[in-house]
Amino acid sequence: MIGTISPKTLASIQYQRGFGRKIDWNDPKDINEKINWLKFNTDTTAWTTLADKFRVREHVERMGLGNMLVKLYGHWDDAEDINWDALPRQFIMKTNNGSGEVFICKDKAEIDTAAWTAAFKTQLAVKFGRSMGEPHYNRIKPCIIAEELLDCRKQPIPSSSLIDYKIWSFDGKPAYIWACYNRTHASVQVALYDLDWKFHPEYSISTPHYILADKPMPRPKSLDQMLHAAAVLSKGFPELRVDLYEVDDKPYFGELTFSSAAGFNDFYTPEFLRILGDLTILNK
């Protein structure tokens, strides 16, 4: 209810609950404070368009990065309209406004389409941005998209899921890569790297959900291409996380995230949160 009536009040409550202090709205310093400041003190119209996992595809194409898009099989505004017959044997499905709720189909003959339809009906009815104070998500017109299922066996290291290369970028300047892999509903392994692919475990806090890797992984073959894409897509935005994949040495676009963890990143050290905050230049 608070997220509906006053998202900013909810953000204040969530911040104090998570970090044990009040958020400094007047002089934000670390990345969490600055993300929250940007949510409520700037025009986030572009955030709504570009955080939309369907509409962002047109933007990626316009920016000359269409070759990085995952193949799209279809999109539907109503779960009842999903054309199951037109879909290939394998695919993934998700809503365009959610976070992490991906349905993976490895064999269409084995899925319960009625159950999937019911699940997507429920997801489409959820106002995702209300629970964590992210109004730009509430403005997204929800839909369902089906895309090619990328082969997670063709990655630099064995992983039960796609390795998600989340590139922290600041007005056209990538700075750090947060790699997430072996993702399940319960946990995900994580590792932080700089642009030279130096492993920085000292900047991360291991939690029951975000489990810090005990050793670095190989540098992705397409890292230079991914960094170029992050630079292009983040230009004009004080901070933006550009999420990408690499399969069979080829980079793929994932999504754009303007409010990482809704501005409550608790898996980085205070020092690193301040480093990211210093890289985020606000135009007050």
Side-chain angles (χ1 to χ4, degrees):
M1 183 64 70
I2 295 176
T4 302
I5 299 172
S6 178
K8 186 175 180 180
T9 299
L10 175 61
S12 294
I13 293 170
Q14 297 276 34
Y15 188 90
Q16 184 159 9
R17 182 179 296 164
F19 301 103
R21 64 180 185 277
K22 292 183 178 180
I23 189 170
D24 190 339
W25 291 109
N26 295 319
D27 187 22
K29 294 179 178 65
D30 72 16
I31 189 66
N32 285 323
E33 287 186 319
K34 289 190 175 182
I35 287 174
N36 278 288
W37 189 92
L38 287 164
K39 283 194 294 185
F40 302 109
N41 292 281
T42 63
D43 180 1
T44 59
T45 303
W47 290 24
T48 296
T49 301
L50 302 183
D52 182 326
K53 295 178 182 63
F54 176 63
R55 293 181 68 190
V56 71
R57 295 176 62 91
E58 293 182 4
H59 177 70
V60 172
E61 189 83 50
R62 284 195 303 269
M63 302 302 287
L65 300 168
N67 63 316
M68 297 179 69
L69 290 170
V70 179
K71 184 183 296 184
L72 179 71
Y73 293 135
H75 82 282
W76 305 270
D77 294 333
D78 190 321
E80 294 286 355
D81 293 335
I82 297 173
N83 186 351
W84 298 103
D85 292 335
L87 292 171
R89 177 173 170 269
Q90 296 186 331
F91 55 87
I92 66 163
M93 296 184 82
K94 57 190 174 184
T95 59
N96 61 329
N97 63 342
S99 176
E101 300 87 1
V102 177
F103 288 68
I104 298 175
C105 174
K106 295 184 178 181
D107 186 347
K108 187 171 65 172
E110 296 181 358
I111 67 170
D112 184 340
T113 57
W116 280 39
T117 299
F120 277 116
K121 277 185 176 181
T122 299
Q123 287 194 14
L124 289 175
V126 173
K127 285 289 188 181
F128 176 74
R130 287 180 178 171
S131 62
M132 298 296 285
E134 299 173 283
H136 61 288
Y137 279 109
N138 293 333
R139 299 192 296 267
I140 295 175
K141 180 183 177 183
C143 72
I144 304 157
I145 59 177
E147 294 179 330
E148 178 185 4
L149 176 62
L150 299 177
D151 192 344
C152 65
R153 296 170 299 178
K154 298 180 178 181
Q155 300 188 106
I157 62 168
S159 173
S160 61
S161 62
L162 288 174
I163 301 170
D164 204 348
Y165 298 96
K166 300 174 181 292
I167 304 178
W168 282 99
S169 305
F170 305 88
D171 193 9
K173 297 178 181 179
Y176 291 93
I177 305 102
W178 192 44
C180 303
Y181 57 103
N182 284 332
R183 185 184 296 277
T184 68
H185 288 295
S187 64
V188 58
Q189 285 187 272
V190 297
L192 185 71
Y193 301 88
D194 61 25
L195 299 186
D196 295 321
W197 205 248
K198 181 182 177 183
F199 183 38
H200 286 281
E202 74 277 13
Y203 289 152
S204 294
I205 297 173
S206 196
T207 73
H209 183 76
Y210 295 104
I211 301 170
L212 180 60
D214 58 4
K215 61 182 179 180
M217 68 174 68
R219 183 184 190 274
K221 295 285 183 62
S222 66
L223 182 60
D224 290 342
Q225 292 172 265
M226 288 194 282
L227 293 176
H228 169 72
V232 170
L233 294 170
S234 66
K235 185 66 176 175
F237 299 106
E239 61 82 30
L240 176 59
R241 210 189 68 208
V242 181
D243 297 355
L244 305 162
Y245 310 113
E246 181 188 81
V247 175
D248 220 1
D249 298 341
K250 174 180 167 54
Y252 288 92
F253 174 79
E255 63 182 286
L256 299 181
T257 303
F258 291 88
S259 53
S260 175
F264 309 111
N265 297 274
D266 61 357
F267 36 79
Y268 297 136
T269 64
E271 177 189 4
F272 187 65
L273 292 173
R274 184 58 185 266
I275 288 172
L276 296 182
D278 289 344
L279 292 169
T280 306
I281 307 303
L282 304 180
N283 294 317
K284 293 186 178 182

